[in-house]
């Protein structure tokens, strides 16, 4: 009795659900929302986007941020909607946003689709690991928030600042080969190739990325590490205190790294990750700090 | 299998329950109890579904919205009904309902896969997640994610949204067949061999997935990481459409296996003497387990332990009869996964937690407990 009943209801449910799922396809309920210049209730996704909102003095309009937005310290008082690449649609909607500023690469796509469909205004902020990229971000955010004049002033100031930092850096670091190591987990060196923020900041600081022969982040073989022959190893600090190499540093325990000029002389620079790789308003500061410390370490 | 615990009575089983157990065996079965439990579970499932639709970071008037749902399906997802807030409607129809539907399907699929696999291997510790079938399915899915835009592009174009679930199915099927070949000697499957084979296959598929990591770009890498923990985040009707036909087909077919799996508890020789076509039963079981696991892994990554916990709880309450255990497992699996997912999406709101963390926290100690209780029987 139960058997036949459950079989029958199973079949009918199967047919109904399958048909329903096949005929349904999400269509936007509203026209694409556009941010009105006076929208308050802004959610900022992406550390550099949040920093720009603060630098423009528009932080009063922020109601939430993502977990990569950790600077300035005041961001800690805003609700955290999770990691920028793993956003939950209902979580973002639950803070009642009028406008969502999203750095390129935010996602997942399914979440973005639902947010778009919900009619909340959304603005995509393009990401590029260059000085021009930072200026572009500032202008896009300024335009969406309706504060073009402020954005112009900030962009002009940053442009000048970046150009000066770059000029100063070149004389210090020209020819220094740097290996950026993202992680040394399991004794494997995960290094940055081209098309990465690390590659971009090294270029701005006038140094040479020792491993620019591939794109993205890759685990390097021992021979690749030796032939990259870096003068200095660059890493993010875990404690946010910018401490440099200590004698017991794991990265130099790696036999291949130990063979390189950086390893033989134990040259390691550690910097705050968001400052180093954020490509936001503080990048000129990052260029100055990085180039000074590379020069100090490599001399 | 639980039958073992009925025949080889563990010392700790109290005298009363021992007598009850004997009475059960003499009276035939625990059918009336089992039927009652299934009806209860069906009611519980409805309540859990309603509760999950109502709970979340945004509060919506579920009971007011529900009457409008049929019109949504009839109108193929167009527009917002009169007098309903558009935002509430989107939260229900585009976020929660597809998610609960997928949770129910996958929970049922994982629990039933576990139950069928345990019946097939006559071993309470067999589970697609633990013996490496999920890993094999994950490898199939990963291959498509990484190679779908290049080498496998023509296949991708041909199969559309079914490409990844089918690839996961193929991966799961190959792994299950290998496992059966390795782990079973003369119709007897030893737990130790099974678990070790699972570890070996898991390592092998892990290595192959590792190979894919080298050719993946950063975006593909992030997609791959998602398999590790499992999550129902990103559920939408398209994902429901890609998994539902496969999982529902399996759930519809499974009752036909019940009699055969019951017979199999006597051993393969005895089962074929009472007229069960053992080879066909095995083939069908393996096919269904691989299909359901593949479809689940393809849309939600590796959610573990449901296939161990659910059948075991049911054996303790309604006994090992597959005629009742399988439908009950489907219902309880759906309930548990929906409940775990509701926790996952509210516990750290407005962010959310991968559901695999929750099922592992709940399931891993449980698995150990079964292992310790059955230690005398498993030869470990």
């Amino acid at each position: 009795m139960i058997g036949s009943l459950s079989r029958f209801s199973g079949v009918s449910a199967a047919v109904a659900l399958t048909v329903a799922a096949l005929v349904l396809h999400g269509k936007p309920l509203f026209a694409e929302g556009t941010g009105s210049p006076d929208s308050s209730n802004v959610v900022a996704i992406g550390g550099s986007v949040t920093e720009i909102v603060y630098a423009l003095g528009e932080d009063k309009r922020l109601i939430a941020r993502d977990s990569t937005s950790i600077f300035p310290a005041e961001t800690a008082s805003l609700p955290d909607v999770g990691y920028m690449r793993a956003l939950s649609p209902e979580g973002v909607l639950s803070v009642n946003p009028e406008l969502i500023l999203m750095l390129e690469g935010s996602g997942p796509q399914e979440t973005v689709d639902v947010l778009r469909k919900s009619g909340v205004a959304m603005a995509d902020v393009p990401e590029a690991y260059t000085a021009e990229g930072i200026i572009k971000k500032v202008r896009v955010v300024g335009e969406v928030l309706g504060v073009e004049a402020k954005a112009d002033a900030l962009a002009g100031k940053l442009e000048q600042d970046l150009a000066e930092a770059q000029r100063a850096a070149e004389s210090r670091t020209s020819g220094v080969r740097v290996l950026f190591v993202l992680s040394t987990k399991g004794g494997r060196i995960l290094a940055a190739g081209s098309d990465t923020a690390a590659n971009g900041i090294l270029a701005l600081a006038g140094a040479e990325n020792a491993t620019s022969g591939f794109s993205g982040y890759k685990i390097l073989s021992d021979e690749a590490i030796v032939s990259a022959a870096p003068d200095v190893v660059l890493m993010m600090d875990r404690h946010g205190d910018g401490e440099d190499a200590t004698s017991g540093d794991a990265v130099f325990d790696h036999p291949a790294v130990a063979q390189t000029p950086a390893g033989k002389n134990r040259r390691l620079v550690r910097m705050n990750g968001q400052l180093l790789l954020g490509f936001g308003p503080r990048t000129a500061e990052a260029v100055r700090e990085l180039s000074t410390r590379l020069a100090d370490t490599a001399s | 299998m639980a039958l073992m615990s009925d025949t080889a009575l563990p010392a700790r089983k109290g005298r009363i329950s021992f007598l009850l157990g004997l009475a059960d065996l003499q009276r035939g079965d625990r059918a009336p109890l089992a039927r009652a439990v299934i009806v209860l579970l069906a009611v519980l499932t409805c309540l859990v579904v309603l509760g999950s639709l109502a709970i979340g970071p945004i509060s919506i008037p579920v009971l007011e919205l529900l009457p409008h749902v049929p019109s949504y399906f009839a109108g193929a997802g167009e527009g917002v009904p009169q007098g309903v807030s558009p935002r509430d409607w989107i939260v229900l129809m585009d976020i929660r309902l597809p998610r609960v539907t997928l949770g129910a399907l996958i929970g049922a699929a994982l629990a039933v896969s576990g139950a069928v696999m345990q019946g097939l291997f006559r071993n309470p510790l067999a589970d697609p997640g633990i013996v490496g079938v999920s890993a094999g399915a994950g490898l199939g899915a990963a291959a498509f994610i990484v190679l779908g835009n290049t080498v496998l592009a023509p296949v991708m174009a041909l199969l559309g949204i079914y490409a990844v679930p089918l690839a996961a199915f193929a991966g799961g099927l190959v792994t299950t067949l290998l496992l059966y070949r390795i782990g079973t000697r003369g119709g007897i499957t030893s737990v130790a061999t099974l678990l070790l084979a699972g570890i070996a296959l898991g390592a092998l598929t892990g290595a192959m997935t590792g190979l894919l990591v080298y050719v993946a770009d950063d975006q593909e890498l992030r997609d791959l990481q998602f398999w590790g923990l499992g999550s129902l985040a990103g559920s939408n009707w398209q994902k429901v459409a890609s998994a539902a036909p496969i999982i529902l087909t399996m759930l519809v077919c499974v009752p036909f296996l019940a009699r055969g799996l019951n017979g199999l508890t006597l051993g393969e020789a005895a089962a074929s003497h009472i007229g069960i076509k053992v080879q066909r039963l095995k083939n069908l079981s393996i096919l269904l387990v691989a299909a359901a696991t593949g479809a689940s892994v393809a849309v939600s990554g590796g959610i573990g332990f449901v296939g161990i916990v659910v059948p075991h709880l049911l054996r303790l309450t309604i006994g090992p009869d597959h005629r009742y255990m399988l439908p009950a497992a489907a219902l309880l699996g759906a309930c548990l996964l929906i409940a775990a997912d509701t926790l996952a999406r509210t516990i750290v709101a407005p962010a959310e937690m991968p559901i695999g963390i929750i099922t592992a926290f709940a399931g891993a100690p449980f698995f150990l407990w079964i292992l310790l209780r059955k230690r005398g029987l498993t030869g470990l």
Side-chain angles (χ1 to χ4, degrees):
Chain A
M1 162 69 206
I2 281 267
S4 62
L5 186 71
S6 69
R7 218 168 290 170
F8 171 73
S9 55
V11 173
S12 47
V15 173
L17 263 173
T18 309
V19 169
L22 289 173
V23 296
L24 286 178
H25 40 92
K27 288 231 178 105
L29 295 176
F30 316 96
E32 185 72 29
T34 47
S36 64
D38 53 354
S39 24
S40 49
N41 293 358
V42 179
V43 177
I45 309 292
S48 58
V49 172
T50 308
E51 280 190 46
I52 289 169
V53 175
Y54 274 86
L56 291 170
E58 295 296 315
D59 45 291
K60 286 181 210 61
R61 292 157 73 176
L62 286 180
I63 50 163
R65 47 142 193 141
D66 73 310
S67 61
T68 67
S69 303
I70 48 176
F71 186 89
E74 294 87 75
T75 51
S77 63
L78 292 168
D80 176 354
V81 295
Y83 180 51
M84 67 178 271
R85 298 185 195 282
L87 300 169
S88 137
E90 195 178 335
V92 175
L93 287 177
S94 72
V95 298
N96 288 322
E98 288 176 18
L99 169 67
I100 305 170
L101 290 169
M102 291 214 300
L103 184 60
E104 193 179 321
S106 302
Q109 192 55 49
E110 293 91 351
T111 297
V112 176
D113 291 344
V114 172
L115 291 175
R116 274 197 206 293
K117 195 177 167 181
S118 76
V120 178
M122 289 170 69
D124 294 315
V125 182
E127 173 79 284
Y129 305 120
T130 58
E132 297 73 42
I134 297 170
I135 305 306
K136 175 107 174 111
K137 276 189 209 177
V138 170
R139 291 195 190 283
V140 169
V141 173
E143 194 181 332
V144 175
L145 292 176
V147 288
E148 286 90 344
K150 277 188 187 173
D152 268 344
L154 179 63
K157 184 170 135 306
L158 290 180
E159 222 161 354
Q160 210 180 344
D161 205 12
L162 280 162
E164 274 170 32
Q166 262 180 283
R167 263 198 304 281
E170 266 165 25
S171 57
R172 293 187 198 122
T173 58
S174 80
V176 177
R177 292 173 64 79
V178 182
L179 173 69
F180 178 83
V181 176
L182 187 66
S183 95
T184 56
K185 213 166 62 184
R188 297 182 307 175
I189 301 292
L190 187 60
S194 58
D195 310 315
T196 58
N199 192 69
I201 195 76
L202 286 171
L204 284 180
E208 219 177 307
N209 182 0
T211 52
S212 52
F214 54 85
S215 160
Y217 292 90
K218 288 267 183 291
I219 291 169
L220 293 186
S221 69
D222 291 2
E223 288 175 31
I225 295 170
V226 174
S227 66
D231 301 307
V232 182
V233 173
L234 174 62
M235 290 177 81
M236 292 193 278
D237 60 16
R238 271 182 221 91
H239 318 293
D241 51 6
E243 274 297 298
D244 272 356
T246 49
S247 54
D249 227 297
V251 72
F252 295 127
D253 296 342
H254 192 282
V257 178
Q259 294 300 312
T260 63
K264 284 176 184 151
N265 302 300
R266 301 188 86 78
R267 294 183 190 136
L268 172 68
V269 172
R270 280 184 182 275
M271 271 178 71
N272 174 296
Q274 184 59 38
L275 171 68
L276 184 69
L277 305 177
F279 278 81
R282 293 184 297 153
T283 297
E285 184 191 326
V287 169
R288 278 192 289 272
E289 184 181 336
L290 176 61
S291 59
T292 309
R293 288 174 59 185
L294 285 176
D296 290 351
T297 316
S299 57
Chain B
M1 223 11 250
L3 194 88
M4 293 201 230
S5 61
D6 282 348
T7 48
L9 289 162
R12 278 188 304 133
K13 224 175 185 185
R15 198 172 163 73
I16 304 279
S17 62
F18 163 65
L19 289 173
L20 276 177
L22 263 188
D24 268 343
L25 286 175
Q26 281 162 354
R27 262 213 322 266
D29 58 3
R30 300 184 232 181
L33 171 70
R35 287 201 189 100
V37 166
I38 288 176
V39 172
L40 267 178
L41 280 174
V43 174
L44 184 68
T45 308
C46 294
L47 290 176
V48 169
V49 166
L50 266 182
S52 183
L53 288 176
I55 296 171
I58 298 178
S59 50
I60 57 171
V62 172
L63 294 176
E64 286 168 39
L65 295 178
L66 278 182
H68 296 292
V69 170
S71 69
Y72 177 89
F73 288 101
E78 296 290 328
V80 181
Q82 285 295 307
V84 170
S85 134
R87 197 189 67 159
D88 291 353
W89 189 241
I90 279 181
V91 168
L92 180 69
M93 298 311 298
D94 287 317
I95 298 174
R96 287 189 202 164
L97 196 58
R99 194 159 175 164
V100 169
T101 309
L102 210 55
L105 286 170
I106 287 170
L110 292 174
V112 172
S113 297
V116 170
M117 210 159 185
Q118 286 147 29
L120 179 70
F121 286 110
R122 275 171 294 151
N123 184 325
L125 292 175
D127 167 75
I130 285 167
V131 297
V133 178
S134 302
L139 174 63
F144 251 89
I145 286 176
V146 176
L147 306 173
N149 303 326
T150 50
V151 187
L152 300 173
V155 190
M156 198 84 173
L158 183 73
L159 300 173
I161 56 167
Y162 298 103
V164 174
L166 284 172
F169 164 56
L173 187 62
V174 170
T175 325
T176 319
L177 287 171
L178 275 173
L179 204 63
Y180 201 84
R181 279 287 146 81
I182 299 168
T184 311
R185 275 275 170 79
I188 309 286
T189 314
S190 105
V191 187
T193 319
L194 190 67
L195 292 178
L196 291 172
I199 291 169
L201 286 173
L204 191 65
T205 50
M208 288 175 162
T209 311
L211 263 184
L212 289 172
V213 166
Y214 277 91
V215 292
D217 64 28
D218 286 358
Q219 184 53 52
E220 288 161 349
L221 269 182
R222 278 187 276 272
D223 287 346
L224 284 179
Q225 282 183 334
F226 158 88
W227 306 103
L229 282 171
S231 168
L232 289 171
S235 299
N236 54 28
W237 291 116
Q238 194 190 18
K239 285 191 180 178
V240 172
S242 77
I246 302 172
I247 291 176
L248 289 168
T249 306
M250 178 236 187
L251 292 177
V252 170
C253 291
V254 152
F256 297 103
L257 297 176
R259 206 180 61 90
L261 289 173
N262 281 349
L264 204 57
T265 53
L266 309 168
E268 287 190 26
S272 52
H273 285 313
I274 57 172
I276 291 166
K277 297 185 175 61
V278 173
Q279 198 51 49
R280 207 179 64 180
L281 171 75
K282 281 197 226 169
N283 293 345
L284 190 56
S285 301
I286 288 176
L287 198 70
L288 288 178
V289 166
T293 309
S296 309
V297 165
V299 293
S300 66
I303 298 175
F305 297 105
V306 179
I308 285 276
V309 173
V310 171
H312 196 79
L313 283 175
L314 290 170
R315 272 188 223 103
L316 291 176
T317 46
I318 63 173
D321 185 339
H322 288 90
R323 285 174 305 172
Y324 306 110
M325 228 259 293
L326 296 174
L331 291 169
L332 187 57
C335 280
L336 280 184
L337 203 65
I338 295 172
D341 185 54
T342 309
L343 205 60
R345 61 192 176 78
T346 49
I347 203 167
V348 289
E352 66 172 86
M353 184 183 270
I355 193 174
I357 295 178
I358 294 173
T359 57
F361 257 118
F366 195 92
F367 177 67
L368 273 176
W369 175 66
I370 301 175
L371 198 62
L372 294 173
R373 269 190 64 233
K374 301 259 175 201
R375 202 161 37 176
L377 306 168
T378 50
L380 280 173

